Amino acid sequence: MSILIYAESVDGKFKKVAYELASYAKKVADSLGTNVTAVAINIDNVSDLSKYGISKVLKVSNYTLKNFNAKAFADVIKQASLKENAELILLSSTTDSLYLAPIVSIGLNAGFASNVVGLPISTAPFQVRRTAFSNKAFNTTEINTNVKILSLAKNSYGVFENATTLTEETFSPSLNDTDFNVKIESVEKTTGQVTIADADIVVSGGRGLKGPENWHLLEDLATVLGAATACSKPVSDLGWRPHSEHVGQTGKPVAANLYIALGISGAIQHIAGINASKIKVVINTDADAPFFKVADYGIVGDALEILPRLTQKLVAFKAQNT
């Protein structure tokens, strides 16, 4: 069973999820006695993928693919899979890949399983474990099509080095004008800070921070931790923070290794969107806040008083261990 992965990138560099996907694919490939090929779009240096088990990279260089376009990128992956006779196609669970996967699935008449956690339970029949009901449960999904597509849940497997010899090959798929029916007029990018999509740690604030003038306290903590900053829906609705930082079921989903909620009561939509995070910490003045029921650790207190002290302690801890 030949394996192909789509190695996501931004600004000419691979995202962390690409390395996690490569690590996962290598493990599956070893169990099947095969190798892993990656398709990479507009990246000059792809050598890092060899550290994580990728044997071959199809390098696509095309200016028309400068910005993400779901239909065009899906066409690239489809043609790459046909070229390599791939029977198993692996993507991440980022917003981009979740747009791509169904289009690729239709184009290849392939079964698709999203939010996969863990290695396949069985390869004959092909079964995988997936999260369900906003990460409150798991199910076992069986795929019976010849070509199978999986999207791996973020931070569900990890990044593991497994060096291989890498072959690079230029790949020039033929793209149709209809691939570009959707026109991109502008792209706004966040610079100089960790993005929510790539963050291992997310520090998120709610109305308990009382106002935007106090947000620097949250940002100070995030800087010390190397974390991304986020917020609850009411905060973005009030205009305290941009909507791009809104996390939850109605915002950006979060599957961080550590999620810290400051002054967030824990509405069901918010919990559903961050429930895939491994460790959840909440600080809130209300001991009966719903968030405490799902948190791994909780502090009952005013975030505005606790935040400076927590940041100070972490700065001192880091100073002692560097």
Side-chain angles (χ1 to χ4, degrees):
M1 181 181 288
S2 55
I3 300 175
L4 176 78
I5 75 166
Y6 165 51
E8 278 196 56
S9 61
V10 61
D11 295 331
K13 296 181 180 179
F14 289 117
K15 296 181 179 179
K16 179 195 168 188
V17 292
Y19 300 135
E20 181 174 27
L21 194 63
S23 302
Y24 178 89
K26 175 59 175 173
K27 188 68 174 180
V28 176
D30 286 347
S31 69
L32 295 172
T34 188
N35 296 317
V36 185
T37 298
V39 56
I41 299 175
N42 290 334
I43 297 186
D44 293 327
N45 185 1
V46 299
S47 60
D48 279 353
L49 288 179
S50 67
K51 299 177 184 177
Y52 305 97
I54 302 301
S55 300
K56 179 180 179 181
V57 178
L58 300 179
K59 296 176 63 175
V60 179
S61 297
N62 190 320
Y63 183 78
T64 60
L65 299 173
K66 178 182 178 182
N67 295 314
F68 176 75
N69 178 306
K71 194 171 181 181
F73 275 48
D75 205 2
V76 170
I77 296 169
K78 174 186 171 182
Q79 292 182 49
S81 69
L82 292 173
K83 177 183 181 302
E84 297 298 312
N85 294 312
E87 297 172 77
L88 180 60
I89 302 169
L90 302 177
L91 299 96
S92 303
S93 285
T94 62
T95 302
D96 286 357
S97 282
L98 289 176
Y99 274 121
L100 285 172
I103 304 174
V104 178
S105 175
I106 292 171
L108 294 172
N109 194 27
F112 167 50
S114 60
N115 297 319
V116 172
V117 291
L119 298 168
I121 299 169
S122 167
T123 56
F126 194 89
Q127 296 179 330
V128 290
R129 192 170 186 240
R130 305 168 55 229
T131 58
F133 303 114
S134 298
N135 300 300
K136 293 185 178 68
F138 298 95
N139 69 34
T140 298
T141 297
E142 184 173 317
I143 306 178
N144 296 315
T145 52
N146 291 330
V147 179
K148 303 163 180 64
I149 300 175
L150 308 180
S151 68
L152 182 67
K154 182 187 173 188
N155 286 329
S156 64
Y157 184 74
V159 177
F160 304 97
E161 291 195 10
N162 193 340
T164 57
T165 301
L166 184 68
T167 300
E168 300 180 21
E169 180 180 324
T170 299
F171 178 51
S172 301
S174 58
L175 301 176
N176 301 315
D177 291 340
T178 55
D179 287 338
F180 300 93
N181 285 341
V182 175
K183 302 296 182 182
I184 299 172
E185 294 185 357
S186 64
V187 177
E188 295 182 9
K189 294 183 178 181
T190 300
T191 59
Q193 64 186 62
V194 181
T195 64
I196 295 171
D198 295 329
D200 285 328
I201 303 174
V202 175
V203 180
S204 187
R207 283 180 293 182
L209 290 183
K210 307 292 174 62
E213 67 277 4
N214 295 318
W215 218 259
H216 67 95
L217 298 174
L218 181 150
E219 291 171 334
D220 290 344
L221 177 62
T223 299
V224 173
L225 293 173
T229 60
C231 67
S232 62
K233 185 177 186 299
V235 165
S236 61
D237 287 345
L238 288 167
W240 295 1
R241 301 300 297 172
H243 284 283
S244 60
E245 292 189 8
H246 165 209
V247 296
Q249 192 173 40
T250 56
K252 292 182 178 178
V254 172
N257 288 322
L258 173 61
Y259 182 81
I260 304 175
L262 307 166
I264 300 175
S265 61
I268 188 171
Q269 293 88 351
H270 188 89
I271 298 298
I274 61 90
N275 207 35
S277 297
K278 292 181 179 177
I279 301 295
K280 295 176 279 292
V281 178
V282 59
I283 300 174
N284 202 294
T285 55
D286 182 7
D288 295 321
F291 220 132
F292 282 108
K293 296 179 181 179
V294 300
D296 297 283
Y297 302 95
I299 301 173
V300 178
D302 189 341
L304 296 181
E305 297 177 3
I306 296 171
L307 260 175
R309 297 165 61 185
L310 178 59
T311 301
Q312 185 180 22
K313 290 290 185 183
L314 285 170
V315 169
F317 176 79
K318 290 184 70 173
Q320 291 175 356
N321 291 273
T322 54

